[in-house]
């Protein structure tokens, strides 16, 4: 479903060129002219600035033509590094990626407990940032910034979560401001589903010509869509809350205020609660009362993979409901690529992929025009943290397609 890009020469042109080199590289300047409709002098000026900034490099390879040989351009993977930290109920996951989205470092630590919730979280996030970046030997000036991601809703403009999982988590804390002042680097705050969507798009080198969707499942269910290289955010950057699609009329009350939401029937925490209520199932699978929902769901999903009838019934029902959500997402946005990401897909992702592919083949409105490619993330557990790093890098090296990454604050 290719379409020709056209863009006026201006601030957005840099983002366009970076995105084309990221997804299509190695690529020549002449090919960039053809792909964008921009003039040769405009392309040359933008590419020159990108090379001077270290974002793009020439490979040294030449393509023979009738005229002057064409040099090829690629993203410089060492131009900058992004740090992403995913905040979950019981753990913090920190990932560092290079400019092309490759993971160069990872650390998982327990979530803070005790003390002032605000001070504990800020201090632990700052410590984790220093531990990981210093452990990797990254020069401070090479880090473009950090993104902290977690379940929504979020106030992206003010850099804060309106709620967070786990006991005694601060709500309404201006987290980005507090961390920027402490670390001296730009800090973004965003939802885990939005981050995972950008991370999968960026790291997979997906073409901007694709209408790209992501289903994210952890404690809840979310989604994201990338259009023309940019995440669709909505009025307050809280778009894509697929988990709050009503699937049961007058169903169970959801914390969002509605009834019958998808999350109330298909999310991991709900399936774990149902498994614990089924006589003998939890004991047989060795799911203990004190086990976190995330671990208990992994056990349940693994049992389904190995053919346990009760576990399979629960996972299959979840997959069927989520497939209905995928059809809605595909029909709303006419997506042609869908990736499943998040810890909820880490063990039984194949079951969800199979069911979603089946339902899209039957129910996608445009199925006679094009297929929808459905894939599982290569790293579903860390997809939100990786996506946080991608948010920083996109906003830094391709401004215009991501959140604005401002200059470093003074330490």
């Amino acid at each position: 479903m290719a379409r020709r890009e056209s863009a006026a020469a201006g601030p957005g042109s840099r983002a366009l060129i970076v995105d084309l080199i990221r997804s299509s590289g190695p690529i020549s300047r002449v090919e960039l002219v053809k792909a964008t409709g921009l003039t040769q002098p405009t392309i040359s000026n933008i590419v020159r600035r990108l090379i001077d900034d270290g974002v793009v490099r020439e490979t040294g390879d030449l393509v023979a033509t009738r005229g002057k040989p064409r040099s090829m351009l690629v993203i410089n993977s060492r131009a900058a590094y992004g740090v992403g930290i995913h905040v979950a109920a019981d753990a913090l996951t920190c990932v560092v990626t290079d400019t092309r989205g490759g993971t160069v470092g990872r650390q998982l630590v327990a979530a803070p407990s005790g003390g002032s919730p605000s001070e504990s979280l800020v201090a632990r996030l700052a410590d984790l940032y220093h531990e990981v970046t210093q452990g990797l030997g990254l020069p401070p000036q090479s880090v473009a910034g950090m993104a902290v991601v977690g379940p929504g809703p979020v106030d992206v403009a003010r850099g804060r979560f309106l709620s967070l999982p786990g006991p005694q988590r601060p709500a309404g804390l201006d987290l980005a401001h507090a961390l920027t002042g402490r670390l001296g680097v730009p800090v973004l705050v965003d939802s885990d589903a939005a981050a995972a969507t950008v991370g999968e798009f960026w790291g997979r080198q997906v073409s901007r010509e694709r209408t790209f969707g992501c289903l994210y499942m952890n404690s809840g269910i979310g989604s994201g869509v990338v259009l023309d290289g940019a995440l669709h955010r909505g009025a307050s950057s809280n778009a894509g809350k697929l988990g709050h699609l009503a699937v049961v009329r007058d169903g169970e009350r959801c914390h969002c205020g509605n009834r019958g939401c998808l999350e109330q029937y298909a999310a991991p925490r709900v399936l774990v609660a149902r498994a614990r209520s089924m006589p003998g199932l939890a004991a047989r699978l060795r799911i203990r009362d004190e086990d976190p929902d995330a671990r208990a769901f992994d056990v349940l999903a693994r049992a389904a993979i190995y053919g346990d009838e009760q576990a399979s019934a629960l996972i299959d029902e979840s997959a069927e409901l989520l497939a209905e959500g995928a059809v809605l997402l595909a029909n709303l946005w006419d997506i042609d690529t869908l990736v499943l990401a998040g810890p909820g897909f880490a063990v039984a992702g194949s079951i969800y992929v199979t069911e979603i592919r089946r339902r899209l083949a039957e129910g996608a409105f445009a199925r006679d025009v094009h297929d929808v490619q459905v894939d599982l993330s290569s790293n579903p557990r860390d997809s939100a943290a990786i996506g946080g790093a991608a948010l920083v890098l996109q906003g830094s090296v391709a401004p215009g397609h991501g959140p604005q990454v401002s200059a470093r604050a003074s330490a």
Side-chain angles (χ1 to χ4, degrees):
M1 308 298 291
R3 57 185 183 274
R4 179 180 176 83
E5 295 289 353
S6 62
S13 300
R14 176 184 172 109
L16 172 61
I17 299 308
V18 169
D19 211 27
L20 285 170
I21 297 174
R22 173 197 62 80
S23 62
S24 306
I27 188 171
S28 69
R29 292 168 176 82
V30 172
E31 290 171 312
L32 289 173
V33 170
K34 293 179 179 178
T36 64
L38 296 172
T39 65
Q40 180 71 51
T42 298
I43 292 293
S44 296
N45 288 335
I46 294 172
V47 168
R48 186 182 307 114
R49 288 196 296 270
L50 290 170
I51 291 175
D52 290 344
D53 292 343
V55 175
V56 168
R57 64 179 178 86
E58 294 180 317
T59 65
D61 297 328
L62 300 176
V63 176
T65 64
R66 293 181 180 179
K68 180 181 177 181
R70 300 173 184 170
S71 58
M72 307 302 287
L73 304 166
V74 296
I75 296 294
N76 177 13
S77 63
R78 299 182 180 180
Y81 297 92
V83 179
I85 299 181
H86 180 222
V87 179
D90 58 345
L92 304 176
T93 304
C94 180
V95 171
V96 179
T97 71
D98 62 26
T99 319
R100 290 176 63 87
T103 299
V104 297
R106 176 188 186 273
Q107 187 165 331
L108 175 70
V109 300
S113 60
S116 165
S118 298
E119 293 178 4
S120 295
L121 182 59
V122 171
R124 191 66 191 99
L125 290 170
D127 289 344
L128 184 56
Y129 170 87
H130 287 304
E131 289 169 12
V132 175
T133 56
Q134 291 173 7
L136 292 171
L138 298 180
Q141 66 273 16
S142 71
V143 180
M146 179 173 79
V148 182
V149 301
V154 295
D155 184 344
V156 171
R158 294 188 60 179
R160 62 180 185 172
F161 294 104
L162 301 184
S163 65
L164 276 174
Q168 296 185 327
R169 289 299 174 84
L173 167 68
D174 290 343
L175 192 58
H177 177 76
L179 284 168
T180 298
R182 184 177 290 229
L183 298 177
V185 299
V187 177
L188 308 173
V189 170
D190 216 324
S191 75
D192 46 15
T197 301
V198 173
E200 293 293 334
F201 175 79
W202 190 267
R204 287 171 172 266
Q205 296 181 263
V206 178
S207 169
R208 59 187 290 109
E209 294 180 353
R210 311 287 286 187
T211 301
F212 179 82
C214 178
L215 282 178
Y216 182 84
M217 185 164 72
N218 191 11
S219 58
I221 298 169
S223 68
V225 174
V226 174
L227 307 171
D228 293 327
L231 177 72
H232 173 74
R233 288 189 165 273
S236 65
S237 294
N238 283 291
K241 303 310 174 190
L242 195 68
H244 298 287
L245 164 72
V247 295
V248 177
R249 184 177 179 85
D250 295 327
E252 294 185 23
R253 175 74 68 180
C254 179
H255 66 85
C256 73
N258 297 310
R259 288 187 177 274
C261 291
L262 176 62
E263 279 189 11
Q264 298 300 308
Y265 298 90
R269 57 180 173 78
V270 175
L271 299 185
V272 168
R274 290 179 61 188
R276 285 178 167 144
S277 69
M278 297 172 69
L281 179 59
R284 180 160 52 80
L285 299 183
R286 298 182 181 179
I287 296 175
R288 300 169 299 178
D289 291 341
E290 63 270 22
D291 285 340
D293 286 346
R295 180 193 177 280
F297 184 71
D298 283 350
V299 173
L300 182 67
R302 190 169 294 109
I305 289 288
Y306 285 108
D308 184 277
E309 290 187 6
Q310 288 181 300
S312 293
L314 290 171
I315 298 297
D316 287 347
E317 182 180 345
S318 171
E320 290 168 6
L321 288 169
L322 206 58
E324 295 302 318
V327 171
L328 174 64
L329 193 68
N331 288 344
L332 280 175
W333 296 104
D334 193 20
I335 61 175
D336 51 23
T337 307
L338 180 66
V339 172
L340 310 188
F345 296 118
V347 177
S350 60
I351 295 176
Y352 287 91
V353 167
T354 299
E355 180 61 20
I356 288 171
R357 284 174 177 167
R358 185 189 70 81
R359 282 294 295 119
L360 285 171
E362 294 177 352
F365 183 77
R367 62 187 180 276
D368 294 331
V369 182
H370 68 86
D371 294 331
V372 180
Q373 179 180 330
V374 182
D375 294 314
L376 181 64
S377 170
S378 60
N379 191 348
R381 289 196 192 278
D382 292 345
S383 57
I386 293 171
L391 281 170
V392 170
L393 292 167
Q394 189 184 55
S396 174
V397 304
H401 280 340
Q404 183 65 39
V405 177
S406 58
R408 286 175 171 78
S410 58

